[in-house]
């Protein structure tokens, strides 16, 4: 069917939604910014229109109805103006009701696809931490120390941080489905060397490539959720997607504890092989291509074949980009933001510190609960449920932040007389509470690690830490996208890189620090570090507007 340029609805997420050279996704429903461009279109009219596209971020969240961050930025840097409507541009006929549009799928099918990609994200992060339950048996078999065995955890997390720099730009050229199939197949393949590893070197190398390949689901699959649901329906599925990769690391030691307590450590990877194979089959048979620019390219190609008129093209076909250039931008601009933007740098350091502490706990929990309370392997695994409970519980506070932010917006509207007036700093509200909860949780955990204190007390501390961590992540992610609307993808790519590299390093010195300083003071040191970072969300909440006025990247 030929798209009628006079009546076809210009759907926001059907525009070339990926940023040039950036990781093309965005891990959080509130990450969608409120800065919107309105496409002006009337029956039979060809007035200039502002092209809409989707703001992307490193963490896998698709945000519809938003200005494409880096495409807009690059256009501004080159001095190009807003293009006029092309009467031969292929768009969705009737918007979401177009049968080729993924948003026209039935609700059960949308949720089936969502649960599959969410299970992929959950599986990857669970794989990162399940490795910690194999330490004792693996060290005995390979004759290595704990610090050497821990390298397998660090290299996996490092791969998670670096992988999106490659896979996310590739997804804007080839779509989501090919990247899923290739990367998940590689993820499956690299589990095999871990299962049959004859030495620790094989394990360490295999874990890096496994994390590198698995990172795709953390960087791309959130965009699939955004492809399927409109902004009005996006909150619940995106919330589920958000919590899945954060709960995954807490479930890994729990699952691994039961496996390694009862059978040989290699069964950890046999179970993962079965799990990953099932997910791969689901991807092959149940997850179609959902990336709107790719689907519109296919639609345009079909129209050209049927009409013989080569003037019919999709919006993404008009943009001349190279894969090398896309990857180059993906690697360059995040570092510019870290270098020139103090708000971006400090908030990235804060989130990196929190993720690093979480991965450090994978070594600390066995020390604390195994030594003080005599817990066996599977019982130690259960102690990680505190982090998971805190993470899930923090999401229940989302309506509270929504209401508080609504009041701030209403107050600003009254002061300025501008309808819908808002400031990016309003997004930091969850981070304010999370920044306070984190050191409180750590101090409770640290000073309850005595043998005579009931084991539930340090777990309560871990619940507060887990909840505070998610609240900080939520506030920081949404603030970065709102404060840097033209460079949202780069800002979150920078955040992911800093988090990944720091989290890869902390397990390497965690056990030594706990043994040298003692459980109480080692945890207190971490708490003091977070206490140093706690003021930054407050500083940026109250003074962020002034800082943005002096920024070369932030909106003013």
């Amino acid at each position: 069917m030929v798209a009628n340029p006079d009546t076809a609805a210009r759907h926001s997420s059907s525009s070339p939604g990926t940023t040039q050279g950036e990781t093309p996704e965005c891990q959080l429903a509130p990450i969608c910014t409120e800065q919107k461009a309105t496409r002006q279109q009337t029956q039979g009219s060809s007035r200039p229109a502002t092209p809409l596209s989707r703001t992307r971020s490193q963490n896998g969240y698709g945000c519809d109805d938003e200005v494409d961050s880096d495409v807009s930025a690059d256009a501004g840097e080159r001095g190009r103006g807003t293009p006029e409507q092309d009467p031969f541009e292929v768009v969705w006929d009737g918007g979401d009701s177009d049968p080729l549009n993924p948003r026209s799928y039935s609700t059960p099918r949308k949720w089936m696809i969502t649960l599959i990609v969410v299970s992929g994200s959950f599986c990857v992060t669970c794989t990162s931490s399940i490795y910690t339950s194999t330490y004792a048996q693996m060290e005995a078999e390979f004759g290595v120390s704990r610090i050497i065995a821990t390298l397998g955890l660090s290299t996996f997390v490092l791969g998670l941080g670096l992988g999106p720099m490659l896979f996310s730009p590739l997804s804007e050229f080839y779509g989501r489905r090919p990247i899923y199939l290739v990367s998940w197949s590689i993820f499956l393949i690299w589990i095999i060397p871990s299962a049959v590893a004859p030495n620790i070197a094989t394990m360490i190398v295999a874990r890096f490539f496994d994390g590198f390949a698995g990172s795709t689901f953390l960087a791309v699959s959130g965009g699939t959720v955004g492809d399927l649901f409109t902004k009005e329906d996006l909150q619940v599925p995106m919330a589920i997607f958000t919590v899945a990769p954060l709960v995954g690391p807490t479930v890994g030691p729990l699952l691994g504890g039961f496996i390694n307590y009862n059978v040989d450590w290699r069964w950890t990877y046999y179970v993962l092989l079965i799990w990953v194979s099932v997910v791969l089959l689901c991807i092959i048979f149940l997850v179609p291509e959902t990336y709107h620019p790719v689907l519109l390219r296919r639609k345009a190609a079909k129209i050209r074949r049927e009409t013989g008129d080569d003037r019919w093209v999709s919006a993404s076909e008009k943009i001349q980009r190279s894969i090398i250039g896309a990857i180059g931008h993906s690697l360059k601009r995040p570092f510019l933001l870290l270098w020139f933007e103090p708000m971006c740098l400090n908030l990235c350091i804060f989130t990196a510190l929190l993720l690093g502490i979480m991965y450090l706990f994978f070594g600390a929990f066995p020390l604390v609960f195994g030594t003080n309370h005599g817990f066996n392997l599977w019982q130690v695994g259960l102690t990680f449920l505190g982090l998971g409970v805190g993470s899930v519980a923090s999401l229940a506070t989302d309506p509270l932040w929504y209401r508080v932010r609504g009041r701030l917006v209403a107050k600003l509207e009254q002061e300025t007389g501008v309808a819908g007036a808002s400031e990016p700093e309003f997004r930091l509200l969850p981070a304010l509470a999370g920044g306070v909860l984190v050191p409180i949780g750590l101090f409770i955990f640290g000073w309850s690690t005595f043998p005579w204190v009931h084991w539930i007390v340090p777990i309560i501390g871990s619940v507060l830490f887990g909840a505070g961590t998610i609240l900080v992540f939520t506030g920081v992610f949404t603030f970065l996208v709102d404060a840097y609307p033209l460079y949202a993808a780069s800002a979150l790519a920078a955040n992911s890189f800093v988090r990944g590299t720091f989290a890869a390093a902390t397990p390497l010195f965690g056990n030594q620090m706990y043994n040298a300083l003692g459980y109480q003071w080692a945890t207190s040191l971490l708490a003091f570090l977070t206490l140093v970072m706690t003021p930054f969300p407050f500083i940026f909440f109250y003074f962020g507007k002034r800082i943005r006025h002096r920024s070369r990247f932030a909106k003013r």
Side-chain angles (χ1 to χ4, degrees), residues 238-318:
M238 194 59 74
I240 294 174
F241 172 80
T242 300
V243 73
L246 298 173
V247 173
T250 67
V251 175
L254 171 61
L255 178 62
F258 281 102
I259 295 173
N260 289 275
Y261 183 76
N262 293 286
V263 293
D264 183 72
W265 66 272
R266 296 184 187 272
W267 270 99
T268 303
Y269 301 99
Y270 300 151
V271 171
L272 287 175
L273 282 171
I274 297 171
W275 184 0
V276 174
S277 298
V278 171
V279 174
L280 179 60
L281 291 175
C282 291
I283 296 171
I284 293 173
F285 295 107
L286 300 175
V287 178
E289 179 60 65
T290 62
Y291 187 37
H292 292 207
V294 168
L295 295 175
L296 285 170
R297 286 204 301 265
R298 295 177 182 175
K299 181 176 181 179
K302 181 180 179 181
I303 293 174
R304 290 194 294 268
R305 289 194 303 269
E306 293 175 348
T307 64
D309 189 344
D310 291 336
R311 290 178 295 177
W312 291 100
V313 294
S314 66
S316 62
E317 291 177 296
K318 301 176 184 179

Side-chain angles (χ1 to χ4, degrees), residues 517-548:
L517 299 180
Y519 302 158
Q520 296 78 36
W521 283 107
T523 309
S524 295
L525 175 61
L526 300 176
F528 283 123
L529 290 175
T530 61
L531 199 59
V532 170
M533 301 303 300
T534 294
F536 283 100
F538 289 89
I539 293 172
F540 299 142
F541 180 79
Y542 289 105
F543 304 105
K545 186 174 182 179
R546 299 182 191 177
I547 298 174
R548 285 188 287 111

Side-chain angles (χ1 to χ4, degrees), residues 113-228:
I113 297 171
T114 298
L115 293 177
I116 291 173
V117 298
V118 165
S119 69
S121 301
F122 177 82
C123 178
V124 170
T125 54
C126 184
T127 303
S128 72
S129 60
I130 198 173
Y131 173 80
T132 62
S133 63
T134 67
Y135 284 161
Q137 293 189 49
M138 190 172 59
E139 290 164 4
E141 181 171 333
F142 294 153
V144 296
S145 63
R146 176 60 55 91
I147 186 64
I148 299 299
T150 305
L151 285 172
L153 174 63
S154 295
T155 55
F156 189 98
V157 178
L158 182 63
L160 290 180
L162 297 178
M165 295 290 190
L166 172 65
F167 288 114
S168 293
L170 290 179
S171 69
E172 74 177 86
F173 290 92
Y174 302 111
R176 310 199 194 282
R177 179 174 166 82
I179 298 300
Y180 287 157
L181 293 173
V182 172
S183 63
W184 200 252
S185 297
I186 296 174
F187 183 67
L188 173 65
I189 291 171
W190 279 104
I191 293 177
I192 299 175
S194 298
V196 299
N199 52 56
I200 192 62
T202 302
M203 178 66 70
I204 293 172
V205 173
R207 291 278 296 176
F208 171 78
F209 287 108
D210 212 25
F212 191 86
S215 67
T216 299
F217 264 73
L218 304 182
V220 179
S221 57
T224 297
V225 179
D227 294 339
L228 294 169

